[in-house]
């Protein structure tokens, strides 16, 4: 039984499109806070590296849905900016572990604090339950995309 009317789906599409448009703009601003020469698409990559401490290029490529070649080029750019380092994997010298440098962590954490403060201002009038529900539904949506 499908009770998702075209009107409801158009409403969701419109709101999601607005969110994505604003998100791209915000990612550009936050990327510039991390480093003036940082590509706006790299913020999400830095977020995963910050969250995972150290990860293999192949694992990160699979998680983000980015080809290893594209990801390797992005990592090269981040290395050149001094934000990421590549180290040989101890168990397999052919593989590389990626980590944020101390400077990369410092810059990322400062930019993230700014971003979280903005989120806090946006939802300050929401109830805790509404914020939790919003996060839960976003996760459910993202999980369905994977």
């Amino acid at each position: 039984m499908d009770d998702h009317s075209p009107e409801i789906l158009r409403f969701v599409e419109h709101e999601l499109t607005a969110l994505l448009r604003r998100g791209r703009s915000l990612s550009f601003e936050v990327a510039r806070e991390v480093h003036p020469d940082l590509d706006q698409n790299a913020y999400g990559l830095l977020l995963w590296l910050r969250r995972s401490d150290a990860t293999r290029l192949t694992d990160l490529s699979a998680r983000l849905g980015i080809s290893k070649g594209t990801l390797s080029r992005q990592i090269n750019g981040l290395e050149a900016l001094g934000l990421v380092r590549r180290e040989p994997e101890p168990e397999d010298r052919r593989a590389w572990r990626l980590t944020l440098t101390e400077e990369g962590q410092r810059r990322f954490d400062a930019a993230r604090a700014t971003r979280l403060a903005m989120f806090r201002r946006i939802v300050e009038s929401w109830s805790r339950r509404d914020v939790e529900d919003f996060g839960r539904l976003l996760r459910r949506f993202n999980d369905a995309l994977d």
Side-chain angles (χ1 to χ4, degrees):
M1 173 164 98
D2 181 5
D3 61 351
H4 304 322
S5 72
E7 295 81 24
I8 292 171
L9 295 177
R10 281 193 290 273
F11 171 72
V12 170
E13 177 195 31
H14 174 78
E15 294 303 321
L16 185 57
T17 300
L19 176 66
L20 293 173
R21 181 178 40 79
R22 288 183 179 113
R24 281 190 298 275
S25 175
L26 180 61
S27 289
F28 180 77
E29 293 171 22
V30 172
R32 293 296 176 255
E33 284 183 44
V34 173
H35 193 285
D37 298 326
L38 186 66
D39 179 85
Q40 75 182 46
N41 297 320
Y43 181 83
L45 178 55
L46 293 175
L47 175 66
W48 279 104
L49 288 173
R50 184 67 172 115
R51 184 181 288 171
S52 64
D53 288 329
T55 190
R56 292 172 59 150
L57 183 95
T58 54
D59 295 338
L60 192 58
S61 172
R63 177 65 184 132
L64 297 176
I66 300 172
S67 74
K68 286 188 275 186
T70 298
L71 184 57
S72 186
R73 284 189 295 280
Q74 289 180 342
I75 294 298
N76 289 340
L78 293 171
E79 280 182 301
L81 296 175
L83 303 174
V84 170
R85 76 175 144 263
R86 219 185 287 231
E87 301 169 337
E89 180 70 48
E91 296 84 36
D92 180 358
R93 291 288 182 186
R94 296 168 297 164
W96 296 93
R97 285 186 339 173
L98 305 170
T99 59
L100 291 181
T101 62
E102 286 182 27
E103 180 69 5
Q105 286 181 18
R106 186 188 66 74
R107 287 175 174 256
F108 176 83
D109 289 349
R112 188 177 201 194
T114 300
R115 191 175 206 179
L116 292 176
M118 183 201 65
F119 289 161
R120 184 173 284 112
R121 284 190 303 276
I122 290 169
V123 299
E124 69 186 352
S125 65
W126 296 19
S127 71
R128 178 185 178 102
R129 175 69 185 253
D130 284 349
V131 175
E132 289 171 348
D133 287 346
F134 184 62
R136 180 182 52 74
L137 290 170
L138 282 174
R139 173 175 277 170
R140 182 175 170 190
F141 184 83
N142 284 322
D143 287 349
L145 292 174
D146 289 338

